[in-house]
Amino acid sequence: MADHRDAATGPLGRLALARGAVDRTAELRLDELALAAAWSNPDTRVLVVSEGRAFVLDEPDPVLPGATRPRLVTLPSYDAPEGDRYLLGRDESGYTYFAVPAETLPGRMDGDARPASLREVGVQLSDRDAGLLTHAIALEHWHRSHRYCSRCGHPTEVAAAGHIRRCANCGTEHYPRTDPAVIMAVTDPDERLLLGRGSAWDQRRFSVLAGFVEPGESLEQAVAREVAEEAGLTVTSVTYLGSQPWPFPCSLMLGFTATVDDPERVRADGEEVLEVRWFTREELAEAAASGEIVLSGQISIARSLIEHWFGGPIAEAAR
C-alpha cells in the first residue's frame, strides 16, 4: 500500500495545512467491492462537511495544562447522512475515513461539539485531523463548482470515491483542480524583508507578496513577474522553500525566497498592493509588538516565510 502521508519537514518547518497522518489509499478508489466493505466496517469513520465547516469538540490539551485543543467529530458510517462518499484514506491503526458533504451540518451533536472552519482551527488540529479536513473541504468545494461537463455541458457524476467527476453524456473525466500560486519572502542586500498591504485588507495588515502562476510560466518566472508587477523590483535569485495546500478554495501555495538588488525602486502597484515597506528584523519585531502592523495568521505559509526570515516566532500585540 503506497504511503501518501507528509514527508520530513523542510526549511519552513511543519506547515499547518501541509500535515497528515493518513494514507490516501488511492489504489482503492476504483475498487467498488473494497469501498463497500470499508463503508460497512463498524470501525470506519465519516467526516460530515458543509461549505468548508465541520464539527469539532474542544478537549483538554495533552501538552498545555488548562488549555483545550479541538478534535474533529466523526461518525460511524451507519450514522452518516445520505450523500456522496469521498474516500479520505486509512490511518496507521487501520481505520478508514470518508467525507460526506451536506447542505447543512446536522442540527444536533452529542456533547459540546461546535461547527468550525479550517481557518479557525487548522493550526490547533492534530496532524491526522488537519490532513483529513484539508482534503475533505478541498473535495467538497471542487464537487460543488464542477457539476457540469466543460466539454458538452451535461451533468457530471461522482466517480473514483470522490476523486473524479465523469460526464454521463460524453464520458469525459474531470479531476480535482488545484491552482498553483507562488508566495515569496523578498529580501534586499541588507537582508531587509519586503511586506505589502493588499487592497482588500485592513490598514494594519501586512504580508509577503504572492500571485497565481500563469499558463506557460515556470514557478521562478512567476516569482519574478509578481515582484515586478506588485513592487516594481527586479528579482536576481529565487530559492524554493516549501509548499502548502490552501483550499480557499483550491490553491497550492509554493513558497520561495527572492532576492533583489534595487530596493530603492520599490513602489506599490496601487491596485492589488496599496503600500509596501522594507523592514529590518528589529523594525518588524517592534511594529508587530506595538500593534502598528498585523501579520498573517499562523495557519498560513506567509507567516512561516516571515518567521523563517526572522529566525523564530514573532510576538504580536493582542488583537
Side-chain angles (χ1 to χ4, degrees):
M1 182 169 60
D3 195 340
H4 305 289
R5 289 167 293 182
D6 59 334
T9 56
L12 296 179
R14 295 180 64 77
L15 296 168
L17 302 187
R19 297 175 292 143
V22 171
D23 182 337
R24 294 196 172 201
T25 57
E27 69 279 5
L28 299 182
R29 293 173 186 170
L30 297 175
D31 189 334
E32 295 298 333
L33 290 178
L35 290 171
W39 183 262
S40 63
N41 189 317
D43 290 333
T44 289
R45 307 302 297 177
V46 179
L47 176 63
V48 181
V49 292
S50 177
E51 296 186 350
R53 296 168 71 82
F55 273 110
V56 299
L57 186 64
D58 293 313
E59 298 181 329
D61 192 299
V63 178
L64 300 174
T68 60
R69 180 175 183 175
R71 172 181 61 81
L72 282 182
V73 175
T74 57
L75 304 173
S77 56
Y78 54 78
D79 276 345
E82 292 295 323
D84 295 325
R85 303 169 185 174
Y86 309 155
L87 177 65
L88 301 180
R90 183 178 295 152
D91 68 14
E92 291 181 343
S93 299
Y95 292 99
T96 301
Y97 295 87
F98 287 84
V100 172
E103 289 299 318
T104 60
L105 290 175
R108 176 184 177 276
M109 294 292 287
D110 292 335
D112 298 317
R114 61 183 174 90
S117 70
L118 189 60
R119 287 184 185 271
E120 295 173 64
V121 298
V123 171
Q124 298 172 288
L125 291 175
S126 68
D127 288 357
R128 183 203 67 182
D129 285 0
L132 288 172
L133 188 53
T134 301
H135 190 181
I137 67 171
L139 285 176
E140 182 209 13
H141 179 271
W142 177 71
H143 282 286
R144 280 194 289 108
S145 58
H146 289 76
R147 292 175 176 170
Y148 297 91
C149 180
S150 59
R151 175 169 291 182
C152 71
H154 281 71
T156 56
E157 301 172 345
V158 176
H163 292 77
I164 290 176
R165 292 193 73 92
R166 185 175 294 123
C167 179
N169 180 60
C170 69
T172 299
E173 292 186 344
H174 304 272
Y175 294 83
R177 171 176 171 173
T178 297
D179 297 328
V182 292
I183 183 167
M184 42 276 175
V186 179
T187 59
D188 71 358
D190 294 325
E191 295 190 3
R192 295 182 300 172
L193 178 69
L194 182 69
L195 297 181
R197 179 169 63 86
S199 58
W201 296 351
D202 178 272
Q203 289 191 350
R204 293 187 299 149
R205 183 183 172 191
F206 281 78
S207 188
V208 292
L209 305 183
F212 286 105
V213 181
E214 295 186 349
E217 186 175 50
S218 72
L219 300 177
E220 293 80 4
Q221 288 172 329
V223 169
R225 176 183 53 77
E226 287 290 344
V227 173
E229 289 177 357
E230 295 184 351
L233 300 173
T234 303
V235 169
T236 56
S237 66
V238 175
T239 302
Y240 173 74
L241 290 181
S243 65
Q244 174 175 272
W246 192 248
F248 307 114
C250 55
S251 298
L252 175 65
M253 305 301 295
L254 300 136
F256 296 84
T257 58
T259 304
V260 300
D261 59 7
D262 52 354
E264 69 284 350
R265 294 179 53 192
V266 67
R267 51 131 185 95
D269 67 6
E271 297 180 5
E272 292 186 53
V273 179
L274 298 184
E275 183 181 357
V276 284
R277 292 172 58 182
W278 289 107
F279 290 89
T280 65
R281 291 176 176 83
E282 294 75 15
E283 290 168 344
L284 184 61
E286 181 178 344
S290 68
E292 176 188 345
I293 67 169
V294 175
L295 299 175
S296 303
Q298 296 289 347
I299 194 174
S300 67
I301 189 175
R303 182 59 170 260
S304 297
L305 286 167
I306 293 170
E307 292 188 340
H308 176 265
W309 163 84
F310 186 76
I314 301 173
E316 288 190 88
R319 301 185 188 182

